[in-house]
DNA sequence: GTCTATACGATGATAGAC
DNA sequence: GTCTATCATCGTATAGAC
């Protein structure tokens, strides 16, 4: 244990180079498919440096999750754009991820860690589960202002439900794109976005009708 | 190359034991995470037997895909039940797959092969892409009778679109379940199923309105 | 067809010079 | 902090007895 304390003040550039390399490899090769040697090669640093900056593979991936999360938090401020879901699905087209986009890349890591259940207990997977929870909370906070108050009064969880549905659709279409499904992602992006909007409108109408009866 | 020709007439039971073991491991550990030694151990056979029945890991997984596909084809005959989507999403709850259910397990393999793009060129991944196409064709054939003819006349691809959407939703909620999202899957199953039905109804109404104008 | 022993490469990780 | 050399282990695959 000759490692430095886990603070980021010293030479952040090499550490970032390693994280960027790991991210690029992870989104195409998965956790087991990403090797420390390859991470080193791609980052332009020797293996020793990787192990100086990160204790081991688990910790590297764990910090990779945080790295993406920090970027995501910085990007996703302010009220949600109505087109957010539409754009995220449309962006799936081709099934390739741009690792430059840390926020987007997080959700690919998410798919990896969700599926490899053998990694239960793995530091990185546990961190993923924790960060995912936090991201959902933040997304719910941003989506709720778009839900009519009358709906939330009846079903306080409705905002969360729309977030969950949006995530499921985005993940599902990313899988489709990665499987070479020959479909028009723009059309499905529109379809999904309008379906969610329709659900909100329908629920609002139902609540209004209910109140009428009172 | 001292292997037998690829026919299944001889001692199918051990071959099946190996496939079952591989399937169980694959759905929890992924492709890279599944080792031949572990497959052998779980099947109760020595490593040598595994390599006698299957040339290598790639071929084992390739045949695993076919194995699931055959079972799926046998199960999925006749017209679709309206509750199919509802049940497949509800079945995701907990994020665990029962490897006994080959048909369901196929879609977990699907997720694995969709994500590990490093496996491009891998026999098993190529086979997955091919089988996936075939399964979609079969699903479209079964769903189309449920779509009003008037809709299909205007948009012959509408049946396929609903199949794609249903698959995306099912995959997306499986990811959610595997990530420990604490949601009511039965509710989302209902929500998704009714959303798809609403889309069909809405499209039918739109087509009818259009014809009115003619 | 079954099984044991083993070759061989790849991978995670460390030691220690600079 | 950087880098080279190296180790121990594991994983795929094979050889060959039975």
């Amino acid at each position: 244990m000759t490692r430095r304390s886990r603070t980021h003040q010293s030479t952040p550039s090499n550490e970032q180079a390693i994280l960027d390399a790991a991210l690029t490899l992870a989104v195409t090769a998965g956790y087991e498919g990403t090797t420390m040697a390859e991470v080193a090669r791609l980052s332009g640093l020797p293996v020793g440096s990787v192990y100086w900056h990160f204790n081991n593979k688990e910790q590297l991936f764990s910090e990779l999750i945080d790295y993406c999360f920090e970027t995501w938090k910085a990007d996703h401020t302010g009220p949600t754009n109505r087109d957010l879901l539409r754009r995220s699905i449309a962006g799936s087209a081709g099934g390739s991820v741009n690792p430059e986009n840390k926020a987007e890349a997080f959700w690919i890591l998410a798919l990896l860690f969700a599926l490899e259940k053998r990694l239960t207990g793995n530091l990185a997977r546990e961190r993923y589960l924790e960060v995912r929870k936090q991201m959902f909370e933040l997304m719910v906070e941003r989506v709720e202002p778009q839900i009519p108050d009358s709906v939330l009064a009846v079903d306080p969880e409705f905002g969360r439900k729309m977030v969950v549905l949006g995530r499921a659709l985005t993940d599902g279409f990313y899988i489709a794109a990665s499987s070479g499904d020959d479909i028009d992602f723009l059309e499905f992006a529109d379809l999904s976005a309008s379906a969610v909007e329709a659900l909100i409108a329908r629920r609002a109408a139902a609540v209004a009708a209910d109140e009428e009866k009172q």
Side-chain angles (χ1 to χ4, degrees), chain A residues 59-102:
Chain A
Q59 202 220 338
L60 169 59
F61 272 78
S62 174
E63 300 217 19
L64 187 52
I65 306 255
D66 283 333
Y67 180 47
C68 294
F69 186 31
E70 294 306 323
T71 313
W72 183 86
K73 273 194 288 198
D75 282 5
H76 287 65
T77 54
T80 34
N81 186 320
R82 258 204 142 67
D83 278 335
L84 208 64
L85 178 62
R86 185 175 278 110
R87 278 191 287 118
S88 69
I89 292 176
S92 294
S96 63
V97 202
N98 176 7
E100 296 298 303
N101 186 341
K102 273 45 158 203

Side-chain angles (χ1 to χ4, degrees), chain A residues 4 32 83 126 148:
Chain A
R4 89 311 23 183
E32 311 268 0
D83 278 335
E126 299 305 314

Side-chain angles (χ1 to χ4, degrees), chain A residues 150 154 202-214:
Chain A
S150 55
V154 175
R202 194 202 297 174
R203 182 66 80 96
V207 169
D210 252 29
E211 277 169 1
E212 202 73 8
K213 288 183 191 166
Q214 298 291 328

